[in-house]
Amino acid sequence: MRKYAFALMALIGLYGCSSKVEKSNSKPHVVATTGMLYDAVINIAGDKVTSEAIMGPGVDPHLYKATQGDLAKFNKADMIVYNGILLEGKMSEILKKLGRKKLTVAAAESIPKELLKSAIGYKNAYDPHVWFDIKRWKYAVNEISDALIQLDSTNRQFYEANTRSYITQLDSLDQYVRNQIAEIPESQRILVTAHDAFTYFGDAYGMQVEGLQGISTVADFGLKDIADLIDLIIENNIKAIFVETSVSEKSINAVVTGCKEKGHDVKIGGYLYSDAMGEFGTEEGTYIGMFSKNVDAIVNALK
Ligand code: ZN
């Protein structure tokens, strides 16, 4: 009898022990809201963590509501990364609540306030599309790096080295963008798109940016906005305007038709990735890939 009890205890002990071992061996799990943030996590953390993104290609973060499946992912995560500055407008409350329970980082909110542009038409709000200026985005990348070190300090050196190398790649991308934009005649450096996702891009790389819909796709646009945009395109003899992968192209098509009626032929210069990247696993499914594809499309259509 005693022998049996001992065996049972040993068995319990063994199980208890093995589950502990499993816990300490399993990698931390990181959940990011957007593809841009997810890509930064992968570049810094490599295979030291498991990670996933809530919003895939073509998803509009301004309108996106968390599903039951997303809530389960958030709850399971050891660390959550989101953009903040109200980009994930319909998930703000959930993310704030999760922030009281676990390591949660609003990466873009690490950018100094004086570098943020105010959101036109919104009181006391900032424009959240910070990833289109590489210099500003580097603050977010460094913030994610710091958070990963806080999550898993044993791999500090690994994360620091990867962050340095990723920042170097971002610096070369920044230089590439400057060189490319310089190919467009100065009078043609006007970027017309569906919504104002490119304000920081324009600010950083010297382009005038005109969006039909304001900084959030939640806001509506009127006939006057379309008429104003048509006038601007004709006055400046703009050759091409752009659609976005995460925004309906209806509005931009209305502008093209309006220009044609007034005798000005404006082309669709291509699809720009604005608030979402391409398919994960492809070049445009990475931050660097989607940024350079955007710039190539803009330069090819306007130069
Ligand atoms: Zn947007």
Side-chain angles (χ1 to χ4, degrees), residues 137-195:
W137 189 239
K138 289 198 299 189
Y139 284 95
V141 169
N142 281 317
E143 184 76 358
I144 294 170
S145 175
D146 290 347
L148 283 164
I149 291 167
Q150 196 184 326
L151 175 74
D152 174 30
S153 59
T154 47
N155 288 309
R156 168 187 280 271
Q157 285 182 333
F158 180 83
Y159 297 141
E160 284 175 346
N162 282 352
T163 304
R164 276 194 300 273
S165 124
Y166 190 49
I167 292 284
T168 307
Q169 291 175 54
L170 294 180
D171 285 335
S172 338
L173 175 66
D174 188 70
Q175 194 52 55
Y176 174 77
V177 177
R178 286 172 202 285
N179 295 346
Q180 285 298 100
I181 299 294
E183 303 266 311
I184 307 171
E186 241 170 278
S187 67
Q188 290 295 304
R189 288 182 200 162
I190 305 175
L191 179 63
V192 180
T193 58
H195 92 297

Side-chain angles (χ1 to χ4, degrees), residues 176-237:
Y176 174 77
V177 177
R178 286 172 202 285
N179 295 346
Q180 285 298 100
I181 299 294
E183 303 266 311
I184 307 171
E186 241 170 278
S187 67
Q188 290 295 304
R189 288 182 200 162
I190 305 175
L191 179 63
V192 180
T193 58
H195 92 297
D196 276 344
F198 295 94
T199 312
Y200 291 103
F201 178 83
D203 184 60
Y205 304 107
M207 287 197 76
Q208 181 185 336
V209 174
E210 301 289 340
L212 194 52
Q213 218 174 352
I215 62 132
S216 170
T217 52
V218 174
D220 238 336
F221 59 91
L223 288 176
K224 186 177 179 303
D225 300 319
I226 294 188
D228 287 350
L229 207 49
I230 292 170
D231 288 345
L232 177 119
I233 290 166
I234 296 173
E235 269 164 39
N236 292 282
N237 196 24

